[in-house]
Amino acid sequence: MEVLFHLNDVSLLLLGTACLSAMALQGAHLFVLALWRESPMRVGTLVYEALLMVHLLLASVILREACANYAYVSLWSRSFCVPAIDASWVNVAPVLWGTILALVARRPIMVAELVVMACWLPPFVWLLGSAWPWVVAIGVAFMTSRSLACVALDYRRGGELVTRFSLAEVVNTAQEGILCYKADGRILVMNDAMRGLLETLGCRSVLVDACEVRRILLSDAREIHECMLDANGDVGEAWITAPNSTRWRLVFDVVRLGMGHCGRVIATDVTELMKLNEELDATNAELALVEDHLRASLAVVDATAELDALAHMRARVHDVIGQRLSILHRALEDGDLSRSHLGNLREMVDTIMADLAMREQADPKADLMSVIEAFELIGVGIDVSGSLPDRDEVADAFVRVVREAVTNAVRHAR
């Protein structure tokens, strides 16, 4: 790449420094990409960004050697050198991989950086000739801008993307106490909420043994409402009350972490939930008392209704049977034993039960006509003028008064 010798040392030094800066920024960007838990085509992107970093490193080395008027690139020492034009073939790898990635991921924006890296390949160097140093300068400026943009975007999106650090921060700031430990008792994870609970329970020292933590959580000196654990004490749950009157639900289980299994304890503050449950129990107890009172009231209502029905039936029997007996007594006093008269009396006796059932139909007009027809059988006429009241209960009371009055008149007037 003798064409670089046409640039002065200051220009070559500036370009080499820019390449080194872009490489450093690219390294920071690659480090952030490696931390991201979720990203599209994560492995392919990491490989491409690493190859891009190699390209910037090689470009900076070539520019440095050109500044010293060397057409060779020293890799480890001056005793091991390769021609710069041959070393530039290394850029084939990022160009090819970037082309594949751009096609698969459909990223047309990668075309510009692929063209910049392709300009370092020997065919393009020979094709551009004396214009190639200026293309190199433009390419270095572009790659530096690209690295700066990537780092700025990483910083902006750092709060939105899930990384190993952000997961640890989420666990540490969770309201539930979390403890993960190995089978030998070595603590893997303990967040601030679990440490706060242990301090509330009277432990202010640094704990490194999960067995000691479990002993503190389930101490016999502490109020334990309920404890349901298996024989090993690894799976189950328990409810405890801390000295500050807060109540906690402890869940013990075994989970898979990484390539192995570990024990886990999750402590949840259920103070408010327990208060709500107690209030709900008290409300249910009050509702049960109200229900018992209502049941007693309904029983009284049912008994009262039965008494009312019995009273109505007695009044009905008194009215109907009394009327029929008065008519029968009057007919016997008259001494009329004709066949037609006896037939009318037999019909009157047979319709007693039917008249008792008719009362349930609440038809005052039919009841009034029944009274008139019954007394006509013994020659007692009832003159009716006007009409019954519109309200059935008033009309029914009026008919009962008429029935009682006529019955008394027939019974006592002789």
Side-chain angles (χ1 to χ4, degrees):
M1 296 185 176
E2 293 83 356
V3 290
L4 288 176
F5 298 158
H6 299 293
L7 296 177
N8 56 47
D9 292 346
V10 176
S11 300
L12 292 173
L13 183 61
L14 290 176
L15 290 175
T17 303
C19 279
L20 287 175
S21 301
M23 185 189 67
L25 293 173
Q26 183 66 20
H29 175 57
L30 184 63
F31 176 75
V32 174
L33 282 180
L35 291 177
W36 288 346
R37 302 290 292 182
E38 298 292 340
S39 61
M41 301 185 65
R42 181 170 180 266
V43 176
T45 303
L46 286 175
V47 172
Y48 173 71
E49 296 295 336
L51 291 175
L52 192 60
M53 187 175 176
V54 171
H55 161 74
L56 293 173
L57 176 62
L58 179 62
S60 64
V61 172
I62 292 176
L63 291 171
R64 182 198 65 187
E65 299 298 335
C67 184
N69 291 327
Y70 291 115
Y72 293 86
V73 176
S74 60
L75 299 181
W76 290 280
S77 65
R78 296 306 312 172
S79 61
F80 186 82
C81 298
V82 295
I85 195 68
D86 294 336
S88 62
W89 283 105
V90 176
N91 293 299
V92 172
V95 171
L96 290 179
W97 185 253
T99 302
I100 295 173
L101 189 63
L103 292 176
V104 174
R106 298 180 181 179
R107 298 178 184 174
I109 194 172
M110 294 176 59
V111 174
E113 54 199 58
L114 293 175
V115 170
V116 170
M117 288 187 292
C119 289
W120 285 83
L121 296 175
F124 289 93
V125 175
W126 297 326
L127 180 63
L128 294 174
S130 61
W132 183 75
W134 304 104
V135 175
V136 169
I138 296 174
V140 170
F142 172 80
M143 297 303 291
T144 304
S145 302
R146 189 254 187 200
S147 299
L148 283 172
C150 289
V151 172
L153 184 61
D154 292 341
Y155 178 78
R156 181 182 299 178
R157 298 176 58 191
E160 303 174 1
L161 298 178
V162 178
T163 66
R164 294 184 178 90
F165 293 144
S166 63
L167 287 176
E169 182 180 357
V170 169
V171 171
N172 198 42
T173 57
Q175 294 183 352
E176 293 80 9
I178 300 176
L179 170 67
C180 295
Y181 55 92
K182 299 295 288 184
D184 57 1
R186 180 167 52 92
I187 295 177
L188 300 177
V189 177
M190 181 188 294
N191 65 348
D192 290 344
M194 181 62 74
R195 295 188 184 93
L197 173 59
L198 294 175
E199 291 182 1
T200 303
L201 298 177
C203 177
R204 302 187 181 278
S205 59
V206 178
L207 297 175
V208 294
D209 188 1
C211 297
E212 182 67 15
V213 175
R214 291 165 56 87
R215 187 194 64 77
I216 294 173
L217 292 176
L218 300 177
S219 174
D220 294 337
R222 185 166 300 106
E223 179 182 0
I224 300 178
H225 301 279
E226 188 174 355
C227 185
M228 299 182 297
L229 296 176
D230 61 358
N232 297 326
D234 295 329
V235 179
E237 56 185 20
W239 287 263
I240 65 173
T241 298
N244 60 355
S245 300
T246 57
R247 299 181 179 181
W248 295 80
R249 177 175 180 258
L250 306 177
V251 177
F252 300 82
D253 58 3
V254 178
V255 296
R256 185 176 182 84
L257 187 62
M259 299 300 293
H261 292 80
C262 68
R264 181 178 64 176
V265 181
I266 299 180
T268 305
D269 188 351
V270 294
T271 305
E272 295 298 327
L273 180 61
M274 296 295 289
K275 289 182 179 179
L276 291 177
N277 288 337
E278 291 175 356
E279 294 176 0
L280 183 60
D281 292 340
T283 303
N284 288 336
E286 294 179 0
L287 290 176
L289 293 177
V290 173
E291 182 183 4
D292 294 340
H293 181 70
L294 287 177
R295 290 182 183 276
S297 300
L298 289 176
V300 173
V301 170
D302 291 340
T304 303
E306 292 178 359
L307 293 176
D308 289 343
L310 182 60
H312 284 299
M313 180 56 68
R314 287 177 178 175
R316 182 64 179 167
V317 170
H318 173 269
D319 293 344
V320 175
I321 301 300
Q323 169 191 311
R324 296 297 193 271
L325 291 177
S326 298
I327 293 174
L328 184 60
H329 185 268
R330 177 65 178 270
L332 293 176
E333 287 183 347
D334 291 342
D336 187 358
L337 301 177
S338 64
R339 184 177 298 277
S340 60
H341 187 64
L342 291 177
N344 292 333
L345 292 178
R346 185 180 296 107
E347 180 181 357
M348 180 190 66
V349 174
D350 292 340
T351 58
I352 289 178
M353 296 304 298
D355 287 343
L356 288 175
M358 287 178 60
R359 178 67 182 85
E360 302 300 328
Q361 300 176 3
D363 189 353
K365 292 182 180 180
D367 287 347
L368 182 60
M369 292 303 300
S370 176
V371 172
I372 294 174
E373 293 172 356
F375 282 100
E376 285 179 351
L377 295 176
I378 58 174
V380 178
I382 301 176
D383 296 330
V384 178
S385 62
S387 58
L388 292 173
D390 295 333
R391 294 177 58 187
D392 290 342
E393 57 270 23
V394 178
D396 181 68
F398 184 83
V399 173
R400 292 179 60 188
V401 170
V402 171
R403 187 197 306 273
E404 185 68 18
V406 177
T407 299
N408 290 336
V410 171
R411 180 184 301 167
H412 302 294
R414 300 196 184 275

